[in-house]
Amino acid sequence: MEKVSVKNMVCSRCVMVVTQYVAPLNVGLQQVTLGELVFKNKITAAQKDLVRNTLIPFGFEVIDDDKMRMVERIKHIIINLVHYQEEGMNNNLSEILSADLHCVYNYLSGIFSEVTGKTIEKYYIAQKIERAKELLDYDELTLSEIAHRLNYSSVAYLSNQFKKVAGLAPSVYKQQKSERRTSLDKL
């Protein structure tokens, strides 16, 4: 079995597209998850190049660097926590990342900052604010319910972070109807 990391796979639609185009290559694809391809056996360099060249037109990138691979794994854990879990987290982010990746958080934080130029915390906050925008756009939850779902201690705390990141208050954001959300792979 071999795992190959893929950059910019941030949603279930990405998984579907990658599966659709890599499975027919007959390279032994076993499973596709966010940011990762699992092959039944070790793949050759030629097979990896075939996969790489197949994915490039769709904006995906096969990652060979160990640090980049770890950063992508961190990003996918955060995206999953923020965008795909209905209830708030039981543990803090550093404990979740350390447990899932079997590494000390300081090590993960150092690699993430070195590769991306920003902290894990800033990335996490950016993801939470994008999720808040999405939930505001749906207009199904109150700001209080959104704050609870995103694990904020109060509406005021969410509003302050929202204003710092988005440049306007959630209420003003909700009133605007222009193109205002950022693609997850751009955060």
Side-chain angles (χ1 to χ4, degrees):
M1 179 171 77
E2 181 175 4
K3 294 181 179 181
V4 174
S5 295
V6 179
K7 187 175 182 177
N8 296 332
M9 281 182 55
V10 296
C11 66
S12 57
R13 194 171 301 121
C14 295
V15 170
M16 183 179 71
V17 168
V18 169
T19 302
Q20 178 181 354
Y21 287 95
V22 175
L25 299 177
N26 294 319
V27 290
L29 183 66
Q30 183 175 350
Q31 181 182 13
V32 179
T33 59
L34 285 182
E36 192 170 72
L37 305 177
V38 179
F39 297 92
K40 294 174 187 162
N41 301 306
K42 185 162 178 56
I43 62 172
T44 66
Q47 289 173 319
K48 190 180 259 188
D49 285 341
L50 179 61
V51 170
R52 177 181 284 112
N53 292 334
T54 299
L55 296 178
I56 286 173
F58 302 102
F60 302 115
E61 180 183 336
V62 172
I63 303 169
D64 293 320
D65 179 69
D66 289 338
K67 287 181 180 180
M68 280 295 295
R69 197 176 354 248
M70 182 63 77
V71 166
E72 287 302 307
R73 290 178 69 196
I74 292 167
K75 286 180 176 182
H76 290 291
I77 290 169
I78 292 171
I79 288 169
N80 187 47
L81 287 171
V82 174
H83 296 275
Y84 301 110
Q85 287 192 0
E86 288 297 313
E87 291 301 315
M89 300 180 308
N90 294 334
N91 298 335
N92 66 33
L93 182 61
S94 61
E95 290 172 354
I96 291 169
L97 291 173
S98 293
D100 284 359
L101 300 171
H102 309 291
C103 291
V104 176
Y105 181 76
N106 288 342
Y107 171 75
L108 298 172
S109 178
I111 287 176
F112 193 92
S113 295
E114 177 185 330
V115 170
T116 66
K118 60 180 154 184
T119 66
I120 289 174
E121 187 65 24
K122 284 193 186 277
Y123 181 79
Y124 180 55
I125 290 167
Q127 289 293 336
K128 287 172 67 171
I129 298 307
E130 278 309 307
R131 179 68 172 143
K133 288 178 183 179
E134 180 181 13
L135 294 171
L136 286 168
D137 287 345
Y138 292 158
D139 202 23
E140 295 173 353
L141 301 174
T142 66
L143 196 54
S144 178
E145 291 168 327
I146 292 171
H148 179 266
R149 181 172 286 185
L150 295 176
N151 220 30
Y152 282 96
S153 56
S154 68
V155 172
Y157 187 36
L158 167 60
S159 295
N160 286 336
Q161 266 195 349
F162 194 100
K163 189 167 185 175
K164 281 182 189 175
V165 173
L168 61 163
S171 57
V172 174
Y173 172 87
K174 197 170 181 176
Q175 291 171 354
Q176 291 182 347
K177 298 294 180 199
S178 63
E179 193 65 32
R180 53 196 180 193
R181 294 193 36 222
T182 304
S183 175
L184 296 183
D185 62 329
K186 303 290 186 232
L187 292 176

